[in-house]
Amino acid sequence: MRRPLLASSALFHALCLASLASIVAIPREAAAQDLPTLSGSWTASALTEQWSVAAWGDACGPRPRPQGAPGGAVQIQQHGSELSISGAGRSWSTAECWEQMPGLARSKHSASGNARSWQTRCTTPASDPRRAVVTTTTQATDASINMVETGQYQFIIQDTTCSASVTRTRTYTLVRREGEAPPAVSAPPPVASLPPAAPATSAAPPVAEKKPAASRTCDAPGEPARLEVTPSRKLMRPGERFQFRALVMDADGCALPTRPTWSIAPGPLATAATVDATGALSLGAGAGEGTLGLVASVAGKGVTVAIEVTSPDRYDALLATSGLNEAGESEQAAVAVIAAGTIGGRTTSGEDLGRERKNLFVAIVGGVAACLGFAGLILLRRGRRRTGGELEGLASTGAAGERDGAGAGEAPAPSEASLAGVAAPAMAPVRPTLRARGKICPTCGDRYPSEAMFCGKDGTQLLLLN
C-alpha cells in the first residue's frame, strides 16, 4: 500500500511545480507581448572604429586604420526576436557580426526572448592561417539601440607576428515607430505657402545632377576596395527623378572605371520606383509616403541608400527637421568596404608568399645536403677501393715470392735486381714487410710454401728454411 501513496505524492509535487512554473512564465510572456515593436524609421549615428596595434612589422603590410561609416536614416524590421537594419551604408541584422572579413563565420549566437538583447560571436576556421575572433553585442530599449563590436586579429607572415584589436560602436535612435501616425505639420501658414514654393523645389534635380567629386587618378590602379555612393540619404516627392553618384576606388584611393549594379531594395515602395544602370532613380506619380532603399553593389558587396518619400504638402516641414541640405541631400556618402580592402585581404597572399619562400629554402637546403651526402659516399667508396687494392697487391706479391721459392729447383732464380724492380711498385704505397719464409723437403730438396706440412713426392715432413 505504500507504493501507491509514494507515486501519488510524487505526482502531486510534479503538478505543483508545473503550475508554479506556468504562473511565473505568464507574467514574463505578458511583459514581452506588452513591449512595443522596434520596427519603424530610425536614425543611425556614424560608425566609429578604434584600433589598438600590439605587434605589426614591415611584413604585415599597411597598419590598420579607422574607416568607420557615415550615419543616416535606416529602416528596422523586427522578425520575431531578431532585427534587420537597412540604410546608412549597408544592410545588417542582429543575427550576424558587423565585420565582413573573408572567411569569418558565425560560431555562436544568443538572443533574448523580448527582442532587447543580442550577442553574436564570429571566428575564422581552424585551417585559416588568419586568427580572428569578433564579438558583436547589441542592447535595445524602446527608443534606442546600441551596437558594440570587439575584434581580435592575429596572423604570421615571414616569421613576423601581426596582432591588432578593434572596437566599433554605433547608436540608433527612433524616429517613428511602425503603425504610428506621422508627425503633424507644425504650423498652417507654411503649409499654405507650399504650392507657390513648388517651382523653387523643382530645381532640386539639376542640383543633384552634378558630377561626382573628382578623385585621384593612377596609371595602374589596383582591385576594387571601396564603393562610395552620394548622397547617403535623400528626400524626394512622388514623380521626381534623381541621379545618384557612385565612385569605385582601390585601396590607395585611385578611381576605377568599374560601375556598380543598381537595384531597388524590397519594401512597400519597391514597385513604385525604377532605377537604370547609371543610378538614376525615378518615382511614380502615385508613390505613397515611406522609406525606399536603393542598393549599389560591386563584387558582391553592397551599400544601401535611404530615400524618404513624402507628399508635396509635407516636404518643407520634413526638410526643416531632417538635417539635410536645401536640395534634400545629406552631405555624406554611403560607403561599402569591398573584401580586398579588409584586414584579411592581404593576409592570404602574404602568407602564401611566405610559405612559398619557406618551401623554396627547404628545397635548396635539402638539395645541397643530398649533394654533399652523395659526394661523401663516393669519396668513402673510393677510399675503400684504394685500401683494398693495396692489400691485394701485398697478397699477390707474397704469393709470387712463395711460388718463386717453390720453383727454385726447376728454374733458375731471378736476380735480386729484377725482384727489387718487380716488388718496388707494389711495396711503395705501404710500409715494407718481411718476405714470408718457405719450407724444404729434406729428402728430395723440393721447396714448398710455409703453410705446407709434408712433401708431395715422398710424404717426408717439411722443414723451415733459415
Side-chain angles (χ1 to χ4, degrees):
M1 295 298 294
R2 292 182 178 178
R3 291 182 180 177
L5 289 176
L6 292 175
S8 300
S9 178
L11 180 60
F12 175 75
H13 287 293
L15 292 174
C16 290
L17 291 176
S19 301
L20 181 61
S22 62
I23 292 172
V24 174
I26 288 174
R28 293 183 179 178
E29 294 178 359
Q33 293 176 358
D34 292 340
L35 292 175
T37 180
L38 297 179
S39 299
S41 300
W42 296 66
T43 299
S45 67
L47 179 74
T48 61
E49 278 190 356
Q50 293 181 353
W51 283 92
S52 177
V53 178
W56 206 268
D58 295 337
C60 301
R63 294 171 67 90
R65 60 184 184 274
Q67 294 182 354
V74 298
Q75 281 293 115
I76 297 182
Q77 293 293 327
Q78 181 174 341
H79 306 282
S81 60
E82 301 291 345
L83 302 179
S84 62
I85 305 172
S86 61
R90 54 172 283 196
S91 298
W92 173 71
S93 73
T94 54
E96 59 182 346
C97 294
W98 179 269
E99 173 64 82
Q100 292 181 306
M101 174 180 173
L104 194 69
R106 190 181 76 175
S107 60
K108 186 178 179 181
H109 176 69
S110 62
S112 63
N114 57 0
R116 291 298 185 269
S117 178
W118 304 265
Q119 188 174 72
T120 306
R121 178 184 174 92
C122 301
T123 57
T124 52
S127 59
D128 198 325
R130 304 163 298 177
R131 298 291 181 263
V133 179
V134 178
T135 303
T136 307
T137 304
T138 307
Q139 301 288 339
T141 64
D142 294 345
S144 65
I145 302 174
N146 186 35
M147 185 271 288
V148 178
E149 182 176 84
T150 59
Q152 298 286 336
Y153 308 89
Q154 183 175 0
F155 51 94
I156 299 177
I157 297 180
Q158 300 178 7
D159 298 332
T160 302
T161 301
C162 311
S163 177
S165 60
V166 66
T167 300
R168 303 181 179 95
T169 58
R170 167 169 274 183
T171 302
Y172 300 88
T173 304
L174 178 65
V175 176
R176 187 177 67 187
R177 200 180 309 275
E178 187 178 78
E180 294 181 353
V185 181
S186 59
V191 177
S193 61
L194 282 176
T201 57
S202 62
V207 176
E209 293 291 340
K210 60 184 179 181
K211 297 181 180 180
S215 60
R216 188 164 64 94
T217 57
C218 304
D219 296 335
E223 297 294 328
R226 185 180 179 91
L227 169 63
E228 293 186 1
V229 178
T230 307
S232 62
R233 186 182 168 201
K234 172 64 178 172
L235 184 63
M236 297 181 66
R237 290 160 294 191
E240 288 186 342
R241 182 178 182 273
F242 184 81
Q243 177 69 54
F244 286 89
R245 304 174 296 278
L247 179 61
V248 182
M249 297 176 290
D250 62 4
D252 297 328
C254 300
L256 300 176
T258 306
R259 291 186 177 182
T261 302
W262 300 90
S263 61
I264 303 295
L269 300 180
T271 58
T274 58
V275 62
D276 60 13
T278 64
L281 177 73
S282 300
L283 290 176
E289 293 187 345
T291 303
L292 176 67
L294 178 63
V295 181
S297 58
V298 173
K301 298 297 181 181
V303 58
T304 303
V305 178
I307 299 107
E308 294 286 342
V309 182
T310 184
S311 62
D313 296 338
R314 300 183 59 250
Y315 183 87
D316 286 347
L318 289 180
L319 180 62
T321 60
S322 62
L324 304 177
N325 59 18
E326 296 179 356
E329 306 174 21
S330 65
E331 301 294 340
Q332 297 175 329
V335 180
V337 179
I338 304 173
T342 60
I343 188 172
R346 291 189 48 161
T347 306
T348 303
S349 60
E351 186 71 20
D352 293 341
L353 181 59
R355 187 176 301 171
E356 291 177 358
R357 292 180 178 178
K358 184 177 181 180
N359 294 337
L360 179 61
F361 176 77
V362 172
I364 293 175
V365 173
V368 173
C371 293
L372 292 178
F374 183 75
L377 180 62
I378 293 177
L379 294 177
L380 180 61
R381 295 187 64 180
R382 286 184 177 179
R384 289 181 178 178
R385 288 180 180 177
R386 181 178 299 176
T387 305
E390 293 173 357
L391 294 177
E392 290 177 2
L394 292 176
S396 61
T397 303
E402 292 175 354
R403 286 194 299 269
D404 293 343
E410 298 178 358
S415 62
E416 294 180 359
S418 62
L419 289 175
V422 173
M427 299 298 290
V430 297
R431 64 180 183 273
T433 57
L434 296 177
R435 184 175 179 180
R437 298 171 62 186
K439 292 184 178 181
I440 189 171
C441 177
T443 302
C444 63
D446 291 341
R447 296 185 178 185
Y448 291 91
S450 58
E451 61 269 16
M453 299 296 296
F454 301 94
C455 179
K457 293 181 179 180
D458 52 16
T460 304
Q461 186 176 1
L462 303 177
L463 300 176
L464 287 172
L465 293 174
N466 294 329

